[in-house]
Amino acid sequence: MTGTSVRLGANRYGKAETRVVALRRDSDRHEITDVNVSIALSGELAATHLTGDNAAVLPTDTQKNTVYAFAKKYGIDQPETFALLLAERFVAGQPTITHARVAIESYGWQRVGATGHSFARTGPEVRTCVVHHDAEATHVVSGVSDLVLLNSTDSEFWGYLVDEYTTLAETTDRILATAVTASWRHADLPADPAGWEKSYTTAKQDLIDAFAETYSYSLQQTLYAMGQRVLDNQPGVCEARLSLPNKHHFPVDLTPFGLDNDGEVFFAADRPYGLIEGTVIRDDAPAAGQAWE
């Protein structure tokens, strides 16, 4: 039998979701960092796919061990800084590895009590970053996921297309709720590592403020306002991408119980849900390359 003519396409491999909790104990006031690190490497790896020759492969177990060792040697201050260290290590350390993608989820903790060693998880939002690094360029995308927001009024939805399957009633007053996943691409990397924290804090607050301050006729309109606010307030950010599920709240019919419901009691639906996604980008933004992959 003659084999089908095929070739190896784009590929990468790595160690996903290495969870690291790092403590600094150099005083009675401890510091905690809690991250989930996912690595994907690519390069001259055709042989391992085509013949099983692993001479070019850095084991994923080695990648995991590098994460733990770097957490000890360098600490984990900002997720972007740690991701950059790892990405540069993998590309510089192995001639067969030409590109590294390092993604980090960072889980927040806040200090509680008076002991200096007690903490409570914050959230549910999660700080995120993705770093792409090779000989040609370095791209950093920061972000946040599961940032849950709700406006109890100042949202309308009407004037939309209608066909024979449309049952949705127009409304001039509704709850608007979402769980924001947002990412923003840096055109300029902060010279000071503390700049990553400032950028994240500013962007998160911009997202919240724009959501709260926009009188919304559509979730699409709100999305654009949120992305624009991030770019307006951070010259070093050139592009913002947002994914906003519409967390529907439906008024409950209380008439069977002899009760009125004047926008006071709602059923929070789990699924299905509308999903609104979009990008806000500067006209002069540099090419993204592999930044969003």
Side-chain angles (χ1 to χ4, degrees):
M1 178 182 292
T2 302
T4 304
S5 178
V6 299
R7 61 183 175 83
L8 178 66
N11 62 89
R12 61 189 181 192
Y13 81 105
K15 183 66 85 176
E17 300 199 32
T18 298
R19 188 68 178 267
V20 187
V21 176
L23 290 175
R24 282 186 292 186
R25 299 171 177 263
D26 48 1
S27 72
D28 290 338
R29 185 179 173 86
H30 295 173
E31 303 291 340
I32 185 170
T33 306
D34 184 356
V35 297
N36 197 27
V37 182
S38 292
I39 298 160
L41 307 179
S42 53
E44 300 168 14
L45 299 168
T48 189
H49 291 273
L50 301 179
T51 68
D53 181 352
N54 295 317
V57 175
L58 182 70
T60 66
D61 190 66
T62 303
Q63 298 172 35
K64 174 202 69 179
N65 292 340
T66 304
V67 172
Y68 292 140
F70 272 38
K72 169 60 179 177
K73 291 176 65 175
Y74 303 108
I76 306 174
D77 183 16
Q78 301 298 318
E80 291 88 351
T81 304
F82 193 61
L84 284 164
L85 281 171
L86 289 168
E88 291 165 359
R89 159 74 183 195
F90 291 126
V91 172
Q94 303 297 334
T96 58
I97 303 302
T98 58
H99 186 94
R101 177 190 187 273
V102 179
I104 295 182
E105 297 175 335
S106 180
Y107 309 106
W109 292 85
Q110 65 182 11
R111 196 178 305 281
V112 296
T115 64
H117 58 255
S118 298
F119 302 86
R121 269 290 302 271
T122 61
E125 72 270 12
V126 175
R127 180 176 172 180
T128 64
C129 78
V130 178
V131 167
H132 282 270
H133 174 71
D134 57 30
E136 303 299 323
T138 299
H139 298 284
V140 180
V141 175
S142 302
V144 64
S145 64
D146 293 325
L147 176 61
V148 179
L149 303 175
L150 183 149
N151 283 332
S152 58
T153 189
D154 285 354
S155 176
E156 305 182 16
F157 190 57
W158 50 270
Y160 42 79
L161 293 172
V162 174
D163 66 13
E164 64 269 33
Y165 301 115
T166 301
T167 60
L168 183 69
E170 294 183 337
T171 180
T172 57
D173 188 10
R174 66 172 181 170
I175 288 177
L176 185 67
T178 188
V180 178
T181 297
S183 301
W184 46 94
R185 178 164 64 96
H186 299 269
D188 302 316
L189 307 188
D192 182 353
W196 296 115
E197 175 71 27
K198 180 180 179 182
S199 175
Y200 173 76
T201 302
T202 300
K204 177 183 167 183
Q205 193 61 51
D206 287 339
L207 294 168
I208 294 171
D209 291 345
F211 180 87
E213 296 168 9
T214 300
Y215 191 105
S216 180
Y217 293 94
S218 69
L219 189 49
Q220 288 89 335
Q221 175 197 5
T222 300
L223 179 152
Y224 187 82
M226 294 168 75
Q228 183 177 28
R229 184 75 64 95
V230 171
L231 268 60
D232 283 347
N233 289 339
Q234 295 202 58
V237 171
C238 61
E239 183 177 2
R241 294 190 177 186
L242 294 96
S243 177
L244 305 182
N246 193 343
K247 301 178 75 68
H248 301 297
H249 289 67
F250 298 111
V252 177
D253 181 8
L254 299 178
T255 55
F257 318 117
L259 299 171
D260 295 329
N261 186 5
D262 188 20
E264 297 169 301
V265 180
F266 296 84
F267 166 65
D270 178 30
R271 62 195 67 182
Y273 53 87
L275 181 61
I276 313 303
E277 298 180 301
T279 302
V280 183
I281 185 169
R282 296 187 191 277
D283 290 337
D284 59 352
Q290 300 184 68
W292 295 105
E293 296 180 8

